[in-house]
Amino acid sequence: MIISKCIMRYRLLLILLMLSPLWVKAQNLEDFKWQYRFLVINHDGQRGDMMHDIVAFNLDFACEMRERRILVVEYINGMHENLNAWPLDEEGIWLIGLDGGIKDYSQDTSILDRLFDRIDAMPMRRSELLRESECET
């Protein structure tokens, strides 16, 4: 159990380190518009089960996340170190579309159950689906 938690923390750190150059360069939502979708997580900084579930989901579905161009962004108490594009005043998880608009929200990780279906129903994603998937099913 302890080893599993250490591995998950290490993986989260690696993910954040891989994304950090992106955050340093771009501090404005306009820099990302029409390039990426976001899964924005706002929590109180305790990094409980919600963050654990999101990291595990991101690792388990890395190909699907990459194929749908989804970046995971962590806010703590409504603040992000470099990217303050969304005013967040409550805890939860938001799906932000390519256009920068909020597409879905949940107070818990239930959004993950419908994430890919929700994105795949979007007009921009439908055109992307015409290409062959790189992910194994």
Side-chain angles (χ1 to χ4, degrees), residues 75-87:
Y75 276 61
I76 298 174
N77 294 319
M79 301 293 291
H80 185 276
E81 184 176 320
N82 294 314
L83 182 68
N84 289 307
W86 302 283

Side-chain angles (χ1 to χ4, degrees), residues 2-88:
I2 293 173
I3 294 173
S4 175
K5 284 185 179 184
C6 290
I7 290 171
M8 290 308 295
R9 286 184 181 152
Y10 175 73
R11 287 180 180 172
L12 175 61
L13 179 61
L14 284 176
I15 291 167
L16 293 175
L17 287 174
M18 287 187 298
L19 292 177
S20 63
L22 184 63
W23 301 134
V24 172
K25 288 182 185 176
Q27 297 181 4
N28 186 330
L29 177 61
E30 294 298 317
D31 295 335
F32 297 109
K33 208 169 193 179
W34 305 111
Q35 294 179 36
Y36 297 101
R37 296 171 179 95
F38 290 92
L39 196 60
V40 179
I41 300 97
N42 185 37
H43 61 89
D44 64 3
Q46 296 300 313
R47 290 185 177 237
D49 292 338
M50 183 168 66
M51 281 307 296
H52 177 270
D53 292 348
I54 289 168
V55 170
F57 182 87
N58 198 26
L59 292 171
D60 291 345
F61 296 99
C63 183
E64 291 83 355
M65 296 284 282
R66 186 174 51 255
E67 186 175 76
R68 288 169 179 83
R69 298 183 286 157
I70 303 170
L71 296 179
V72 177
V73 180
E74 180 182 16
Y75 276 61
I76 298 174
N77 294 319
M79 301 293 291
H80 185 276
E81 184 176 320
N82 294 314
L83 182 68
N84 289 307
W86 302 283
L88 305 175

